[in-house]
Amino acid sequence: MVLGTAGSVLNEGDAIWAPSVLPHGTLGTLSHYSQPHFGRKMESKVSEGGLNVTLTIRLLMHGKEVGSIIGKKGETVKKMREESGARINISEGNCPERIVTITGPTDAIFKAFAMIAYKFEEDIINSMSNSPATSKPPVTLRLVVPASQCGSLIGKGGSKIKEIRESTGAQVQVAGDMLPNSTERAVTISGTPDAIIQCVKQICVVMLESPPKGATIPYRPKPASTPVIFAGGQAYTIQGQYAIPHPDLTKLHQLAMQQTPFPPLGQTNPAFPGLDASPPASTHELTIPNDLIGCIIGRQGTKINEIRQMSGAQIKIANATEGSSERQITITGTPANISLAQYLINARLTSEVTGMGAL
């Protein structure tokens, strides 16, 4: 969550900014709290309704959650904007995660938050109608908060975060590590929509009373791992509409193709199965979490077959064993085959989990 000045809305493109609070909108619900101290040249005005402020809150969402917020042809987010009066912007890009920025007077912010929380609860109820689960999981939202404010949110010996948990009934967790390439941390809130709304109000009070110290480098989710294609013996990475040559991968690919102890798919090798004329094959094993194995295999095995073809390696995925949360992958081939297969498997995994950071 970032508190931006009313006069300078914080864009995703800004590399570094030092957020502050400028009186604007109405903070009627928070009027009984002490007035925060603003920076130099910032004058605070207290009206009868309380402190006037415009807030900017940043949320981190998975692609599926973003899709739910946007709705068909953007209808859901349009309705949220109109009914709450808040500005809701969603970061662009082919990232597994996106930043949703909500800006406006506090009453508008809380309305937007309520609409998002209730929409997520609706999604949970709908998904439960198709599953045997009996207990309803809580609604979960992730805020992005400057690390310099997290100490105030946790409080001495965890006193503040305990107070927020007890008074709202929501679960609140502050990530121990900063999100990659930023000075921000993820704050995960889960509970009923009502508990989440009350929790967000209390977090806003803490953020207002303890503005960020120094410059904040905002977190930007990384795009999905750059796709790699091989054509005419050359490796290319796809960036936008262009294919950019990748010399290191090209060398590895050429080496793998020259030294493969296995016949390429669809071809016969007269020296096979007598491997005397080819480099000796070695074996490498790695384990992958069950919930990520699907991104390695692909629909009807398309991804794993691509990796086999590009690397020239034999790749076997063990069946799931009962009670285990991991699957074993065995890669067999020359060092070049294995190295390229590992690179391509890691690229698939990275695209699936990019941006998760410390969560």
Side-chain angles (χ1 to χ4, degrees):
M1 179 191 330
V2 178
L3 309 179
T5 63
S8 58
V9 175
L10 309 174
N11 298 313
E12 290 298 316
D14 295 342
I16 299 179
W17 30 260
S20 52
V21 183
L22 187 67
H24 197 58
T26 304
L27 192 64
T29 53
L30 308 179
S31 57
H32 60 287
Y33 286 91
S34 61
Q35 178 189 327
H37 171 71
F38 301 122
R40 247 177 340 112
K41 297 183 183 175
M42 296 266 181
E43 291 183 12
S44 52
K45 297 174 187 175
V46 180
S47 65
E48 287 177 16
L51 179 65
N52 291 337
V53 292
T54 284
L55 300 182
T56 294
I57 295 181
R58 280 155 49 86
L59 287 161
L60 188 55
M61 290 189 189
H62 293 300
K64 196 174 178 182
E65 294 170 324
V66 169
S68 171
I69 295 299
I70 293 171
K72 279 185 184 173
K73 297 180 182 176
E75 287 171 8
T76 307
V77 75
K78 186 184 175 192
K79 186 182 176 190
M80 286 181 178
R81 285 172 180 144
E82 287 171 356
E83 292 189 12
S84 69
R87 270 186 297 175
I88 303 172
N89 293 322
I90 297 162
S91 66
E92 292 181 19
N94 60 332
C95 302
E97 294 186 308
R98 310 270 282 279
I99 295 285
V100 177
T101 307
I102 307 172
T103 305
T106 46
D107 55 348
I109 293 273
F110 299 147
K111 275 182 198 167
F113 245 93
M115 294 177 82
I116 290 169
Y118 281 112
K119 180 70 179 77
F120 283 178
E121 185 180 55
E122 186 186 309
D123 294 342
I124 290 168
I125 291 165
N126 291 339
S127 68
M128 284 184 69
S129 62
N130 304 320
S131 80
T134 49
S135 60
K136 189 173 75 173
V139 174
T140 300
L141 295 178
R142 286 180 297 162
L143 308 184
V144 181
V145 177
S148 61
Q149 291 178 293
C150 287
S152 302
L153 185 56
I154 294 166
K156 198 170 184 180
S159 58
K160 191 66 195 175
I161 203 165
K162 186 184 177 196
E163 180 192 312
I164 293 173
R165 284 174 184 146
E166 289 175 355
S167 63
T168 65
Q171 280 299 313
V172 190
Q173 287 184 315
V174 178
D177 296 321
M178 286 187 270
L179 289 159
N181 306 314
S182 79
T183 57
E184 295 186 304
R185 290 192 200 178
V187 176
T188 306
I189 308 171
S190 56
T192 64
D194 289 341
I196 284 174
I197 295 156
Q198 292 307 315
C199 185
V200 169
K201 287 182 179 180
Q202 293 211 26
I203 288 173
C204 284
V205 173
V206 176
M207 300 297 104
L208 285 165
E209 289 177 339
S210 308
K213 298 172 186 72
T216 297
I217 302 171
Y219 171 61
R220 285 189 197 82
K222 286 183 184 175
S225 160
T226 313
V228 178
I229 59 168
F230 292 91
Q234 299 286 315
Y236 300 87
T237 54
I238 307 302
Q239 295 177 18
Q241 299 175 353
Y242 303 99
I244 312 295
H246 196 306
D248 293 340
L249 270 183
T250 298
K251 283 177 197 166
L252 191 56
H253 177 56
Q254 287 170 347
L255 194 60
M257 292 300 98
Q258 286 165 11
Q259 296 188 341
T260 178
F262 313 112
L265 288 178
Q267 295 179 30
T268 56
N269 184 347
F272 195 79
L275 296 176
D276 297 339
S278 301
S282 57
T283 298
H284 181 81
E285 291 182 345
L286 60 145
T287 53
I288 304 288
N290 275 338
D291 55 351
L292 292 176
I293 202 74
C295 78
I296 302 294
I297 297 170
R299 186 170 289 184
Q300 296 179 329
T302 51
K303 292 297 174 191
I304 193 70
N305 285 337
E306 270 177 29
I307 294 170
R308 285 174 181 138
Q309 209 160 357
M310 289 178 186
S311 67
Q314 279 192 348
I315 304 169
K316 289 181 182 174
I317 299 174
N319 292 328
T321 54
E322 199 174 334
S324 172
S325 63
E326 295 182 322
R327 299 275 283 276
Q328 191 168 52
I329 296 181
T330 306
I331 307 170
T332 308
T334 65
N337 298 143
I338 291 170
S339 182
L340 187 53
Q342 278 184 286
Y343 175 89
L344 295 167
I345 287 169
N346 285 332
R348 288 293 308 156
L349 291 173
T350 304
S351 71
E352 193 72 11
V353 300
T354 292
M356 289 302 284
L359 291 183

